Amino acid sequence: MAEKKIIDGRGSFCPGPLMELIGVLKMSQIGDELEVLSNDKGSAKDIPEWVRKVGHEYVGTREEEGVWHITVRKAK
Amino acid sequence: MAVEKICVVVVSGSRERLQMAAMAASVAAVSGIEVTIFLSMNSVPYFVKGAAVDPPSEGGFGELIVRKKAPDFKTLFRQAVELGDAKILPCSMALDIAGIEPDTLEPYLGEPTGLSSFLDAARGAQVWTF
């Protein structure tokens, strides 16, 4: 059964949140949904680009009080 | 055309250059690009196990990197290997001149490599120097 995981990358800067996401993705199952929390604007833009490039599914991004919630589904 | 192979040559011991090299290498490696990192000159001593990770800054930005707690360059280089299968090759000449034994280096580094072997690895690759 697919899991939902939260990765708290707040306080880190590019490419820290992306690398944290990749570390968790490697240990996840296909279909798992990962939500990265980041207050780094660069990561909010860069993570979706990376996800599209490598073939995972970019679910979406929302901003709440200066924190971006970037959601990704493991696709392979 | 997409870049498929990158060689990152790191000769500087300054914080900004080490940081930029590590950022470029790690993100390239986790993006499906074959990455080889060649460490020489002033970069090598930072990769001795237990060495202080406190290189001098070239300018104010290096101080900001520390103050804002950006991921440190050694963590990013290690992630390039562990998450992206990059290879980090220490320069055999630099080890000899600095008197550094290969078994004192961080375990995620590859074998000491001379220029002939590095040039083979760099064939057909983009080479970025820091």
CSV table of all heavy atoms in Angstrom, one decimal, chain B residues 32-81:
chain,number,residue,atom,x,y,z
B,32,GLY,N,21.0,11.7,-13.7
B,32,GLY,CA,21.2,10.7,-14.8
B,32,GLY,C,22.5,11.0,-15.6
B,32,GLY,O,22.7,10.4,-16.6
B,33,ILE,N,23.3,12.0,-15.2
B,33,ILE,CA,24.5,12.3,-15.9
B,33,ILE,C,25.7,11.6,-15.3
B,33,ILE,O,25.8,11.5,-14.1
B,33,ILE,CB,24.7,13.8,-15.9
B,33,ILE,CG1,23.6,14.5,-16.6
B,33,ILE,CG2,26.0,14.2,-16.5
B,33,ILE,CD1,23.5,16.1,-16.5
B,34,GLU,N,26.5,11.0,-16.1
B,34,GLU,CA,27.7,10.4,-15.6
B,34,GLU,C,28.7,11.4,-15.2
B,34,GLU,O,29.1,12.3,-16.0
B,34,GLU,CB,28.3,9.5,-16.8
B,34,GLU,CG,29.5,8.7,-16.3
B,34,GLU,CD,30.1,7.9,-17.5
B,34,GLU,OE1,29.4,7.5,-18.4
B,34,GLU,OE2,31.3,7.7,-17.5
B,35,VAL,N,29.1,11.4,-13.9
B,35,VAL,CA,29.9,12.5,-13.3
B,35,VAL,C,31.2,11.9,-12.7
B,35,VAL,O,31.2,10.9,-12.0
B,35,VAL,CB,29.2,13.2,-12.2
B,35,VAL,CG1,30.1,14.3,-11.5
B,35,VAL,CG2,27.9,13.9,-12.8
B,36,THR,N,32.3,12.4,-13.2
B,36,THR,CA,33.6,12.1,-12.6
B,36,THR,C,34.2,13.4,-12.0
B,36,THR,O,34.3,14.4,-12.7
B,36,THR,CB,34.6,11.5,-13.7
B,36,THR,OG1,34.0,10.4,-14.3
B,36,THR,CG2,35.9,11.1,-13.0
B,37,ILE,N,34.6,13.3,-10.8
B,37,ILE,CA,35.2,14.5,-10.1
B,37,ILE,C,36.7,14.2,-9.9
B,37,ILE,O,37.0,13.1,-9.3
B,37,ILE,CB,34.5,14.7,-8.8
B,37,ILE,CG1,33.0,15.0,-9.0
B,37,ILE,CG2,35.1,15.9,-8.0
B,37,ILE,CD1,32.1,14.5,-8.0
B,38,PHE,N,37.6,15.1,-10.3
B,38,PHE,CA,39.0,14.9,-10.2
B,38,PHE,C,39.5,16.0,-9.2
B,38,PHE,O,39.4,17.2,-9.4
B,38,PHE,CB,39.7,15.1,-11.5
B,38,PHE,CG,41.1,14.7,-11.5
B,38,PHE,CD1,41.6,13.5,-11.3
B,38,PHE,CD2,42.1,15.7,-11.9
B,38,PHE,CE1,42.9,13.1,-11.3
B,38,PHE,CE2,43.4,15.4,-11.9
B,38,PHE,CZ,43.9,14.1,-11.6
B,39,LEU,N,40.0,15.5,-8.0
B,39,LEU,CA,40.4,16.4,-7.0
B,39,LEU,C,41.9,16.6,-7.0
B,39,LEU,O,42.7,15.6,-7.0
B,39,LEU,CB,40.1,15.9,-5.6
B,39,LEU,CG,38.6,15.6,-5.2
B,39,LEU,CD1,38.5,14.9,-3.9
B,39,LEU,CD2,37.8,16.9,-5.3
B,40,SER,N,42.4,17.8,-7.1
B,40,SER,CA,43.8,18.1,-7.1
B,40,SER,C,44.2,19.3,-6.4
B,40,SER,O,43.3,20.0,-5.9
B,40,SER,CB,44.3,18.1,-8.6
B,40,SER,OG,45.8,18.1,-8.6
B,41,MET,N,45.4,19.6,-6.3
B,41,MET,CA,46.0,20.8,-5.7
B,41,MET,C,45.3,21.1,-4.3
B,41,MET,O,45.3,20.3,-3.4
B,41,MET,CB,45.8,22.0,-6.6
B,41,MET,CG,46.3,21.8,-8.0
B,41,MET,SD,48.1,21.6,-8.1
B,41,MET,CE,48.3,21.1,-9.8
B,42,ASN,N,44.8,22.4,-4.2
B,42,ASN,CA,44.4,22.8,-2.8
B,42,ASN,C,43.1,22.1,-2.3
B,42,ASN,O,42.7,22.3,-1.1
B,42,ASN,CB,44.2,24.3,-2.8
B,42,ASN,CG,45.5,25.1,-3.1
B,42,ASN,OD1,46.5,24.7,-2.5
B,42,ASN,ND2,45.4,26.0,-4.0
B,43,SER,N,42.4,21.4,-3.2
B,43,SER,CA,41.1,20.8,-2.7
B,43,SER,C,41.4,19.5,-1.9
B,43,SER,O,40.6,19.1,-1.1
B,43,SER,CB,40.2,20.5,-3.9
B,43,SER,OG,40.8,19.4,-4.7
B,44,VAL,N,42.5,18.9,-2.2
B,44,VAL,CA,42.8,17.5,-1.7
B,44,VAL,C,42.8,17.4,-0.1
B,44,VAL,O,42.2,16.5,0.4
B,44,VAL,CB,44.1,16.9,-2.3
B,44,VAL,CG1,44.4,15.6,-1.6
B,44,VAL,CG2,43.9,16.7,-3.8
B,45,PRO,N,43.5,18.3,0.6
B,45,PRO,CA,43.6,18.1,2.1
B,45,PRO,C,42.2,18.1,2.8
B,45,PRO,O,42.1,17.5,3.8
B,45,PRO,CB,44.4,19.3,2.5
B,45,PRO,CG,45.2,19.7,1.3
B,45,PRO,CD,44.3,19.4,0.1
B,46,TYR,N,41.2,18.7,2.2
B,46,TYR,CA,39.9,18.7,2.8
B,46,TYR,C,39.3,17.3,2.8
B,46,TYR,O,38.3,17.1,3.5
B,46,TYR,CB,38.9,19.7,2.2
B,46,TYR,CG,39.4,21.1,2.4
B,46,TYR,CD1,39.9,21.8,1.3
B,46,TYR,CD2,39.3,21.7,3.6
B,46,TYR,CE1,40.4,23.1,1.5
B,46,TYR,CE2,39.8,23.0,3.8
B,46,TYR,CZ,40.3,23.7,2.7
B,46,TYR,OH,40.8,24.9,2.9
B,47,PHE,N,39.8,16.4,2.0
B,47,PHE,CA,39.2,15.0,1.9
B,47,PHE,C,39.9,14.0,2.7
B,47,PHE,O,39.7,12.8,2.6
B,47,PHE,CB,39.1,14.7,0.4
B,47,PHE,CG,38.0,15.5,-0.3
B,47,PHE,CD1,38.4,16.8,-0.8
B,47,PHE,CD2,36.7,15.1,-0.3
B,47,PHE,CE1,37.5,17.6,-1.4
B,47,PHE,CE2,35.8,16.0,-0.9
B,47,PHE,CZ,36.1,17.2,-1.4
B,48,VAL,N,40.9,14.4,3.6
B,48,VAL,CA,41.5,13.5,4.5
B,48,VAL,C,40.4,13.3,5.7
B,48,VAL,O,39.8,14.3,6.1
B,48,VAL,CB,42.8,14.2,5.1
B,48,VAL,CG1,43.3,13.3,6.3
B,48,VAL,CG2,43.8,14.3,4.0
B,49,LYS,N,40.3,12.0,6.1
B,49,LYS,CA,39.3,11.7,7.1
B,49,LYS,C,39.6,12.6,8.4
B,49,LYS,O,40.7,12.6,8.8
B,49,LYS,CB,39.4,10.3,7.5
B,49,LYS,CG,38.6,9.3,6.5
B,49,LYS,CD,38.8,7.9,6.9
B,49,LYS,CE,40.1,7.3,6.4
B,49,LYS,NZ,40.1,5.8,6.5
B,50,GLY,N,38.5,13.2,8.8
B,50,GLY,CA,38.7,14.0,10.1
B,50,GLY,C,39.2,15.4,9.9
B,50,GLY,O,39.3,16.1,10.9
B,51,ALA,N,39.6,15.8,8.6
B,51,ALA,CA,40.1,17.1,8.4
B,51,ALA,C,39.0,18.2,8.6
B,51,ALA,O,37.8,17.9,8.4
B,51,ALA,CB,40.6,17.2,7.0
B,52,ALA,N,39.4,19.3,9.1
B,52,ALA,CA,38.4,20.4,9.3
B,52,ALA,C,37.8,20.8,8.0
B,52,ALA,O,38.6,20.9,7.0
B,52,ALA,CB,39.1,21.6,10.0
B,53,VAL,N,36.5,21.1,8.0
B,53,VAL,CA,35.9,21.5,6.8
B,53,VAL,C,35.6,23.0,6.9
B,53,VAL,O,34.5,23.5,7.1
B,53,VAL,CB,34.5,20.8,6.5
B,53,VAL,CG1,34.0,21.1,5.2
B,53,VAL,CG2,34.8,19.3,6.6
B,54,ASP,N,36.7,23.8,6.9
B,54,ASP,CA,36.6,25.2,7.1
B,54,ASP,C,37.5,26.0,6.1
B,54,ASP,O,38.4,26.7,6.6
B,54,ASP,CB,37.0,25.5,8.6
B,54,ASP,CG,36.6,26.9,8.9
B,54,ASP,OD1,35.7,27.5,8.3
B,54,ASP,OD2,37.2,27.5,9.8
B,55,PRO,N,37.2,25.9,4.8
B,55,PRO,CA,38.1,26.5,3.9
B,55,PRO,C,38.0,28.0,3.9
B,55,PRO,O,36.9,28.5,4.3
B,55,PRO,CB,37.6,26.0,2.5
B,55,PRO,CG,36.2,25.6,2.7
B,55,PRO,CD,36.1,25.2,4.2
B,56,PRO,N,39.0,28.8,3.5
B,56,PRO,CA,38.9,30.2,3.5
B,56,PRO,C,37.9,30.7,2.4
B,56,PRO,O,37.8,30.1,1.4
B,56,PRO,CB,40.3,30.7,3.2
B,56,PRO,CG,40.9,29.6,2.5
B,56,PRO,CD,40.3,28.3,3.1
B,57,SER,N,37.2,31.8,2.7
B,57,SER,CA,36.3,32.3,1.7
B,57,SER,C,37.0,33.3,0.8
B,57,SER,O,37.9,34.0,1.2
B,57,SER,CB,35.1,33.1,2.4
B,57,SER,OG,34.4,32.2,3.2
B,58,GLU,N,36.5,33.4,-0.5
B,58,GLU,CA,37.1,34.4,-1.4
B,58,GLU,C,36.5,35.8,-1.1
B,58,GLU,O,37.1,36.8,-1.4
B,58,GLU,CB,36.9,34.0,-2.8
B,58,GLU,CG,37.6,32.8,-3.3
B,58,GLU,CD,37.4,32.5,-4.7
B,58,GLU,OE1,36.7,33.2,-5.4
B,58,GLU,OE2,37.9,31.5,-5.2
B,59,GLY,N,35.2,35.7,-0.7
B,59,GLY,CA,34.5,37.0,-0.5
B,59,GLY,C,33.4,36.8,0.5
B,59,GLY,O,33.3,35.8,1.2
B,60,GLY,N,32.5,37.8,0.5
B,60,GLY,CA,31.5,37.8,1.5
B,60,GLY,C,30.5,36.6,1.4
B,60,GLY,O,29.9,36.2,2.3
B,61,PHE,N,30.4,36.1,0.1
B,61,PHE,CA,29.4,35.0,-0.1
B,61,PHE,C,29.8,33.8,0.7
B,61,PHE,O,28.9,33.0,1.2
B,61,PHE,CB,29.2,34.7,-1.6
B,61,PHE,CG,27.8,34.2,-1.9
B,61,PHE,CD1,26.8,35.1,-2.2
B,61,PHE,CD2,27.5,32.9,-1.7
B,61,PHE,CE1,25.5,34.6,-2.4
B,61,PHE,CE2,26.3,32.4,-2.0
B,61,PHE,CZ,25.2,33.3,-2.3
B,62,GLY,N,31.0,33.5,0.8
B,62,GLY,CA,31.5,32.3,1.5
B,62,GLY,C,31.1,32.4,3.0
B,62,GLY,O,30.7,31.4,3.5
B,63,GLU,N,31.1,33.6,3.5
B,63,GLU,CA,30.7,33.7,4.9
B,63,GLU,C,29.2,33.5,5.0
B,63,GLU,O,28.7,32.9,6.0
B,63,GLU,CB,31.0,35.1,5.4
B,63,GLU,CG,32.5,35.5,5.4
B,63,GLU,CD,33.4,34.4,6.1
B,63,GLU,OE1,33.0,33.9,7.1
B,63,GLU,OE2,34.5,34.1,5.5
B,64,LEU,N,28.4,34.0,4.0
B,64,LEU,CA,27.0,33.7,4.0
B,64,LEU,C,26.6,32.3,4.0
B,64,LEU,O,25.7,31.8,4.6
B,64,LEU,CB,26.3,34.4,2.8
B,64,LEU,CG,26.0,35.9,3.0
B,64,LEU,CD1,25.5,36.5,1.6
B,64,LEU,CD2,25.0,36.2,4.1
B,65,ILE,N,27.4,31.5,3.2
B,65,ILE,CA,27.2,30.1,3.1
B,65,ILE,C,27.2,29.4,4.4
B,65,ILE,O,26.4,28.6,4.8
B,65,ILE,CB,28.2,29.4,2.1
B,65,ILE,CG1,28.0,29.8,0.7
B,65,ILE,CG2,28.2,27.9,2.2
B,65,ILE,CD1,29.1,29.4,-0.3
B,66,VAL,N,28.2,29.9,5.2
B,66,VAL,CA,28.4,29.3,6.6
B,66,VAL,C,27.2,29.8,7.5
B,66,VAL,O,26.6,29.0,8.2
B,66,VAL,CB,29.7,29.7,7.2
B,66,VAL,CG1,29.9,29.2,8.6
B,66,VAL,CG2,30.9,29.3,6.3
B,67,ARG,N,27.0,31.1,7.4
B,67,ARG,CA,26.0,31.7,8.4
B,67,ARG,C,24.6,31.1,8.1
B,67,ARG,O,23.8,30.9,9.0
B,67,ARG,CB,26.0,33.2,8.2
B,67,ARG,CG,25.4,33.9,9.5
B,67,ARG,CD,25.5,35.4,9.4
B,67,ARG,NE,26.7,35.9,8.8
B,67,ARG,CZ,26.8,37.0,8.0
B,67,ARG,NH1,25.7,37.6,7.7
B,67,ARG,NH2,28.0,37.4,7.6
B,68,LYS,N,24.3,30.9,6.8
B,68,LYS,CA,22.9,30.4,6.5
B,68,LYS,C,22.8,28.9,6.5
B,68,LYS,O,21.8,28.3,6.2
B,68,LYS,CB,22.6,30.9,5.1
B,68,LYS,CG,22.5,32.4,4.9
B,68,LYS,CD,21.2,33.0,5.4
B,68,LYS,CE,21.1,34.4,5.0
B,68,LYS,NZ,19.7,35.0,5.2
B,69,LYS,N,23.9,28.3,6.9
B,69,LYS,CA,23.9,26.8,7.0
B,69,LYS,C,23.5,26.1,5.7
B,69,LYS,O,22.7,25.1,5.7
B,69,LYS,CB,23.0,26.4,8.2
B,69,LYS,CG,23.5,26.9,9.5
B,69,LYS,CD,22.7,26.3,10.7
B,69,LYS,CE,23.3,26.5,12.0
B,69,LYS,NZ,23.4,27.9,12.4
B,70,ALA,N,24.1,26.5,4.6
B,70,ALA,CA,23.9,25.7,3.3
B,70,ALA,C,24.6,24.4,3.5
B,70,ALA,O,25.5,24.3,4.3
B,70,ALA,CB,24.5,26.5,2.2
B,71,PRO,N,24.1,23.4,2.8
B,71,PRO,CA,24.7,22.0,3.0
B,71,PRO,C,26.2,22.1,2.7
B,71,PRO,O,26.6,22.8,1.7
B,71,PRO,CB,24.0,21.2,1.9
B,71,PRO,CG,22.9,22.0,1.3
B,71,PRO,CD,23.1,23.4,1.8
B,72,ASP,N,27.1,21.5,3.5
B,72,ASP,CA,28.5,21.7,3.3
B,72,ASP,C,29.0,20.9,2.1
B,72,ASP,O,28.4,19.9,1.7
B,72,ASP,CB,29.3,21.4,4.5
B,72,ASP,CG,29.4,20.0,4.8
B,72,ASP,OD1,30.2,19.3,4.1
B,72,ASP,OD2,28.7,19.5,5.7
B,73,PHE,N,30.1,21.3,1.5
B,73,PHE,CA,30.5,20.8,0.2
B,73,PHE,C,30.9,19.3,0.3
B,73,PHE,O,30.6,18.5,-0.6
B,73,PHE,CB,31.7,21.6,-0.4
B,73,PHE,CG,33.0,21.5,0.4
B,73,PHE,CD1,33.9,20.5,0.1
B,73,PHE,CD2,33.3,22.4,1.4
B,73,PHE,CE1,35.1,20.5,0.8
B,73,PHE,CE2,34.4,22.4,2.1
B,73,PHE,CZ,35.4,21.4,1.8
B,74,LYS,N,31.4,18.9,1.5
B,74,LYS,CA,31.7,17.5,1.6
B,74,LYS,C,30.5,16.6,1.6
B,74,LYS,O,30.5,15.5,1.1
B,74,LYS,CB,32.6,17.2,2.8
B,74,LYS,CG,34.1,17.6,2.6
B,74,LYS,CD,35.0,17.3,3.7
B,74,LYS,CE,35.3,15.8,3.9
B,74,LYS,NZ,36.3,15.5,4.9
B,75,THR,N,29.5,17.0,2.3
B,75,THR,CA,28.2,16.3,2.3
B,75,THR,C,27.7,16.2,0.9
B,75,THR,O,27.2,15.1,0.4
B,75,THR,CB,27.1,17.0,3.2
B,75,THR,OG1,27.6,17.1,4.5
B,75,THR,CG2,25.8,16.3,3.2
B,76,LEU,N,27.7,17.2,0.1
B,76,LEU,CA,27.2,17.2,-1.3
B,76,LEU,C,28.1,16.3,-2.2
B,76,LEU,O,27.5,15.5,-3.0
B,76,LEU,CB,27.2,18.6,-1.9
B,76,LEU,CG,26.1,19.5,-1.2
B,76,LEU,CD1,26.3,20.9,-1.8
B,76,LEU,CD2,24.7,19.0,-1.5
B,77,PHE,N,29.4,16.3,-2.0
B,77,PHE,CA,30.2,15.4,-2.8
B,77,PHE,C,29.9,13.9,-2.4
B,77,PHE,O,29.8,13.0,-3.3
B,77,PHE,CB,31.7,15.7,-2.5
B,77,PHE,CG,32.3,16.8,-3.4
B,77,PHE,CD1,32.9,17.9,-2.8
B,77,PHE,CD2,32.2,16.8,-4.8
B,77,PHE,CE1,33.4,18.9,-3.6
B,77,PHE,CE2,32.7,17.8,-5.5
B,77,PHE,CZ,33.3,18.9,-4.9
B,78,ARG,N,29.7,13.7,-1.1
B,78,ARG,CA,29.4,12.3,-0.7
B,78,ARG,C,28.1,11.8,-1.3
B,78,ARG,O,27.9,10.7,-1.7
B,78,ARG,CB,29.4,12.2,0.9
B,78,ARG,CG,29.1,10.8,1.4
B,78,ARG,CD,29.2,10.7,2.9
B,78,ARG,NE,28.5,11.8,3.6
B,78,ARG,CZ,27.1,11.8,3.8
B,78,ARG,NH1,26.4,10.9,3.3
B,78,ARG,NH2,26.6,12.9,4.4
B,79,GLN,N,27.1,12.8,-1.3
B,79,GLN,CA,25.8,12.4,-1.8
B,79,GLN,C,25.9,12.2,-3.3
B,79,GLN,O,25.1,11.4,-3.9
B,79,GLN,CB,24.8,13.6,-1.5
B,79,GLN,CG,24.4,13.6,0.0
B,79,GLN,CD,23.5,14.8,0.3
B,79,GLN,OE1,23.6,15.8,-0.3
B,79,GLN,NE2,22.6,14.6,1.3
B,80,ALA,N,26.8,12.9,-4.0
B,80,ALA,CA,27.0,12.7,-5.4
B,80,ALA,C,27.4,11.2,-5.7
B,80,ALA,O,26.9,10.6,-6.7
B,80,ALA,CB,28.0,13.6,-6.0
B,81,VAL,N,28.2,10.7,-4.8
B,81,VAL,CA,28.6,9.3,-4.9
B,81,VAL,C,27.5,8.3,-4.5
B,81,VAL,O,27.1,7.4,-5.2
B,81,VAL,CB,29.9,9.0,-4.1
B,81,VAL,CG1,30.2,7.6,-4.1
B,81,VAL,CG2,31.0,9.9,-4.6
